[in-house]
Amino acid sequence: MLSKKMQEALNEQVKIEAQSSQVYLAMASWAEIQPGIDNITAFFYRHSEEERMHMLKLIHFINERGGFAMVPALEQPTVTYPSIKHSFHELLKHEIMVSESINKLVDIALDEKDYATHNFLQWYVAEQVEEESLARTLNDKLELIGEEKSGLYLFDKDILNVTAAGGKEN
Ligand code: OFO
């Protein structure tokens, strides 16, 4: 059984994951109307789907543990970006914020001696390591290529090799 405090904190995370999905969905829609970056667009759409999966996983966990997962209202995400580079920079900032939030949840689980939730959260801890690492790699690449069209063309081809789920490149 979840404590009230743990349940509230997990419900907050439901909102963060849902909001993450919206943020990346908005990036995807914006990228889709930019010429020639189909793979970047697909990357953002896929990332948005993954965040929804993170949210659903939390919802099921809360409900299975005797709590009630409340589907939250969401904020309007940023809908346009000055450049592709900006959007990836925001993605990294966002993932860092999510990691901090997961770490706080882990702290609460330990405080509450809720070892089941602590165990459940380890999946998110590992996921955040992957997502931050992927976001850093992509930002580093964009830094190297600059804003030139030829660089973006290569970046768009390269991102095909990146799996959002694993954060690995092959
Ligand atoms: Fe849910 O991992 Fe990104 O935000």
Side-chain angles (χ1 to χ4, degrees), residues 26-44 80-92 135 138-143 145-149 151-157 159:
M27 283 181 185
S29 178
W30 171 75
E32 197 163 31
I33 62 161
Q34 313 305 312
I37 53 163
D38 294 355
N39 297 325
I40 294 173
T41 300
F43 169 84
F44 284 136
T80 59
Y81 290 88
S83 66
I84 300 296
K85 199 169 155 180
H86 276 86
S87 64
F88 277 94
H89 188 64
E90 283 308 307
L91 181 135
L92 174 58
L138 295 174
N139 273 272
D140 288 349
K141 287 186 181 203
L142 280 167
E143 205 55 56
I145 65 168
E147 293 281 295
E148 285 119 48
K149 288 211 165 86
L152 265 187
Y153 174 76
L154 288 175
F155 182 81
D156 189 68
K157 278 181 76 151
I159 205 168

Side-chain angles (χ1 to χ4, degrees), residues 97-111:
M97 180 277 286
V98 174
S99 298
E100 284 166 1
S101 170
I102 295 290
N103 289 344
K104 279 188 200 140
L105 281 178
V106 172
D107 281 346
I108 296 170
L110 285 176
D111 267 6

Side-chain angles (χ1 to χ4, degrees), residues 128-141:
Q128 283 313 119
V129 170
E130 293 288 351
E131 292 209 348
E132 267 193 52
S133 153
L134 171 64
R136 280 183 217 285
T137 301
L138 295 174
N139 273 272
D140 288 349
K141 287 186 181 203

Side-chain angles (χ1 to χ4, degrees), residues 17 20 24 47 51 54 94-95 98 124 127-128 131:
E17 301 294 345
S20 301
Y24 301 144
H47 216 54
E51 298 301 347
H54 298 172
H94 192 86
E95 289 304 329
V98 174
Y124 287 84
E127 180 71 10
Q128 283 313 119
E131 292 209 348

